Amino acid sequence: MSKPHLISLSLIPPPMSHVVVAGAGVIGLSIAHQLLLQNSKIQKVTIIAKDFPHDLLTCEYTSPWAGAHFRPYPHKPESWENDAREANYTRVTQQFFEKFAALNPDSTIKFSKGTDFLEAPSKEYLELGSGYNADSLKEFKVLEKLPDGVKFGAEYLTFCLDAPEYLKFLQNAIEQLCKLQNIQLQFVKLTLPSLKYIKELYPDVSLIFNATANGLQYNGSYDPACFKIRGQTLLLNVTQPTPYNRKTITHQSKDGHWTFVIRRSATHYILGGTKQPGDDYPLPRESDTVKILSRASKVFPDLDTSDIIRVNVGFRPARRGGSRVDKSLHEGLPVVHAYGLGGSGFETSVGVAKHALELAGLGRLESKL
Ligand SMILES: Cc1cc2nc3c(=O)[nH]c(=O)nc-3n(C[C@H](O)[C@H](O)[C@H](O)COP(=O)(O)OP(=O)(O)OC[C@H]3O[C@@H](n4cnc5c(N)ncnc54)[C@H](O)[C@@H]3O)c2cc1C
Ligand SMILES: *[C@@H]1O[C@H](CO)[C@@H](O)[C@H](O)[C@H]1NC(C)=O
Ligand SMILES: *[C@@H]1O[C@H](CO)[C@@H](O)[C@H](O)[C@H]1NC(C)=O
Ligand SMILES: *[C@@H]1O[C@H](CO)[C@@H](O)[C@H](O)[C@H]1NC(C)=O
Ligand SMILES: *[C@@H]1O[C@H](CO)[C@@H](O)[C@H](O)[C@H]1NC(C)=O
């Protein structure tokens, strides 16, 4: 590295020497990953979390339970601004993944066809509103041939990934990038009582990313706008060739149920699911499993559901008014928040990370990818 001219020193911002990321879900890890791909002015990165990708799964750590795929929806009039912002995050993520997946097959990211079937489509779907049309989605097509009871169908280019494996991949990529660039890296397993506590632990901290899903405030306690949406899904073992290897399908029934199948690996599939706001039951519920299987037998009659490896329960970290990606100052210490991504933390991850880095003043530097 060449030394900067002394004369320009006062003009450049102080180096962000020690960056602390609170949270090691897909959001925290994506922020660290994008930071390391984009910026070399960092000396130290510390990631603090109570759960990491290699730990035993708990239902409080949402990321490993995700499908996970990209499923767009048209902006709704009542939440237009937020929907537009989150839709942009998904497009940034997809664009990044297109190149990244080709270079990193072990990331588990696979591009495929995504299909939506709706029994009671809103006006925004029928009119191909913003966020849900060929201007905004690749390979977008309205389908003419529809299954029984379905009033609207469309397909587009999507991606899916194996959530637990992708998280481990990200953690590993972070380690490699730090090694390569001689950046000190620490993973610290700790339950933070508050964000303030980070400053006490690391007096040299120059920037904090708050990616605790619906956890922590500067003085402790939680963002009162956050709430959880329970999701139960089934992990299936399907060893026979199946069309679901090449497409994900989401079926929305007129009574509001979502049934979807998402490829995880050559033989594993996620069949979902439930969306239960305010339901905090952490264990699999037999009655939910029965309902999912019964819907699947009608919607996906050709899917072999005989071998259920595991029943998953996760809690989507939602927030009234939508996700929060912004910055605040606490006694001069910048804190960038990135949480409340609800049911779309994977599809928005890279866009959220890039936005968070921009807010921190770290985002516009040349990319090393
Ligand atoms: C059934 C289901 C299906 C889903 N399908 C999809 C999908 O298809 N596509 C998609 O994009 N998304 C999907 N999601 C949503 C996705 O899983 C979430 O949006 C995402 O995981 C949120 O990531 P996160 O990093 O914010 O939170 P988390 O993964 O929960 O991570 C939070 C991190 O913060 C840490 N933490 C919290 N509080 C503290 C504290 N006090 N001290 C220290 N550490 C703390 C935790 O230990 C953890 O490391 C699905 C979710 C569910 C449940
Ligand atoms: C989304 O991105 C488009 C294209 O870059 C831009 O015109 C639009 O303002 C963005 N919307 C939001 C809400 O950021
Ligand atoms: C939270 O912490 C900040 C910084 O230490 C302090 O100024 C503020 O008074 C605290 N607020 C509450 C509600 O405790
Ligand atoms: C950090 O994020 C949490 C949600 O995880 C939120 O409740 C809290 O308000 C944020 N912290 C601060 C200092 O705002
Ligand atoms: C999946 O099914 C195949 C064939 O029946 C079996 O050999 C394999 O062990 C199963 N895998 C898991 C993870 O259950």
Side-chain angles (χ1 to χ4, degrees), residues 67 231-236 249-251 257-262 269-275 288 291-293 295-296 299-300 303 316:
Q232 181 165 321
T233 61
L234 313 178
L235 180 62
L236 300 179
I249 302 181
T250 307
H251 180 281
H257 292 296
W258 293 51
T259 314
F260 53 85
V261 54
I262 303 171
Y269 294 81
I270 289 286
L271 172 65
T274 69
K275 278 187 186 230
D288 286 341
K291 282 182 206 151
I292 293 168
L293 286 172
R295 292 194 327 253
V299 178
F300 308 127
L303 180 68
R316 303 170 180 92

Side-chain angles (χ1 to χ4, degrees), residues 85-93 323 325 347-348 351-352 355:
R85 181 172 54 89
E86 292 186 356
N88 273 13
Y89 294 153
T90 65
R91 305 320 193 257
V92 171
T93 305
S323 59
V325 183
E347 57 202 281
T348 56
V352 168
H355 186 190

Side-chain angles (χ1 to χ4, degrees), residues 16-322:
M16 286 298 175
S17 51
H18 186 183
V19 173
V20 175
V21 180
V26 68
I27 298 299
L29 293 176
S30 298
I31 289 174
H33 185 228
Q34 292 296 323
L35 169 70
L36 293 163
L37 288 174
Q38 291 181 18
N39 197 287
S40 58
K41 295 222 175 91
I42 312 295
Q43 283 151 2
K44 258 166 94 182
V45 173
T46 304
I47 303 181
I48 305 177
K50 53 182 184 200
D51 312 280
F52 281 94
H54 288 275
D55 294 345
L56 271 182
L57 303 187
T58 72
C59 65
E60 275 162 64
Y61 181 36
T62 306
S63 293
W65 302 115
H69 66 164
F70 164 49
R71 196 196 49 75
Y73 57 90
H75 307 348
K76 297 178 283 295
E78 67 275 17
S79 52
W80 187 276
E81 231 171 274
N82 190 65
D83 290 357
R85 181 172 54 89
E86 292 186 356
N88 273 13
Y89 294 153
T90 65
R91 305 320 193 257
V92 171
T93 305
Q94 174 153 351
Q95 209 173 1
F96 176 81
F97 278 177
E98 275 183 51
K99 244 193 235 160
F100 191 73
L103 294 172
N104 299 276
D106 49 341
S107 67
T108 78
I109 302 161
K110 286 250 174 340
F111 277 81
S112 70
K113 196 181 280 180
T115 308
D116 292 334
F117 289 134
L118 289 87
E119 288 184 350
S122 65
K123 183 165 141 280
E124 288 74 35
Y125 274 101
L126 293 171
E127 293 173 357
L128 305 182
S130 288
Y132 202 86
N133 52 46
D135 295 338
S136 145
L137 292 165
K138 290 194 175 169
E139 299 170 26
F140 182 84
K141 207 160 78 189
V142 174
L143 299 173
E144 315 255 288
K145 228 183 98 201
L146 300 174
D148 274 356
V150 169
K151 297 275 185 322
F152 174 86
E155 66 177 33
Y156 44 83
L157 181 69
T158 186
F159 59 83
C160 53
L161 54 80
D162 184 331
E165 290 307 315
Y166 177 66
L167 295 168
K168 292 178 197 164
F169 166 87
L170 273 184
Q171 184 173 359
N172 187 46
I174 289 166
E175 276 172 327
Q176 298 308 319
L177 285 165
C178 282
K179 244 184 233 158
L180 219 64
Q181 304 176 78
N182 240 328
I183 296 169
Q184 252 180 292
L185 171 69
Q186 257 192 305
F187 294 111
V188 180
K189 198 168 159 56
L190 178 75
T191 299
L192 289 163
S194 67
L195 287 179
K196 196 160 61 170
Y197 190 65
I198 296 172
K199 179 84 178 167
E200 290 163 25
L201 280 177
Y202 304 104
D204 69 338
V205 60
S206 34
L207 168 68
I208 295 176
F209 286 101
N210 178 16
T212 51
N214 39 35
L216 207 52
Q217 306 211 33
Y218 195 73
N219 302 20
S221 86
Y222 300 86
D223 180 342
C226 288
F227 65 100
K228 294 174 182 177
I229 303 175
R230 184 176 182 276
Q232 181 165 321
T233 61
L234 313 178
L235 180 62
L236 300 179
N237 187 20
V238 185
T239 48
Q240 297 302 315
T242 161
Y244 301 102
N245 188 25
R246 291 180 310 275
K247 57 181 180 192
T248 79
I249 302 181
T250 307
H251 180 281
Q252 301 182 37
S253 73
K254 55 178 178 295
D255 50 358
H257 292 296
W258 293 51
T259 314
F260 53 85
V261 54
I262 303 171
R263 177 192 191 274
R264 272 227 161 151
S265 67
T267 55
H268 290 181
Y269 294 81
I270 289 286
L271 172 65
T274 69
K275 278 187 186 230
Q276 298 152 307
D279 180 343
D280 58 3
Y281 189 64
L283 300 175
R285 206 185 264 128
E286 182 59 24
S287 57
D288 286 341
T289 299
V290 168
K291 282 182 206 151
I292 293 168
L293 286 172
S294 144
R295 292 194 327 253
S297 69
K298 289 178 202 115
V299 178
F300 308 127
D302 51 352
L303 180 68
D304 176 3
T305 57
S306 58
D307 189 357
I308 299 172
I309 303 173
R310 195 177 59 216
V311 181
N312 295 327
V313 177
F315 294 92
R316 303 170 180 92
R319 185 173 182 272
R320 279 182 290 279

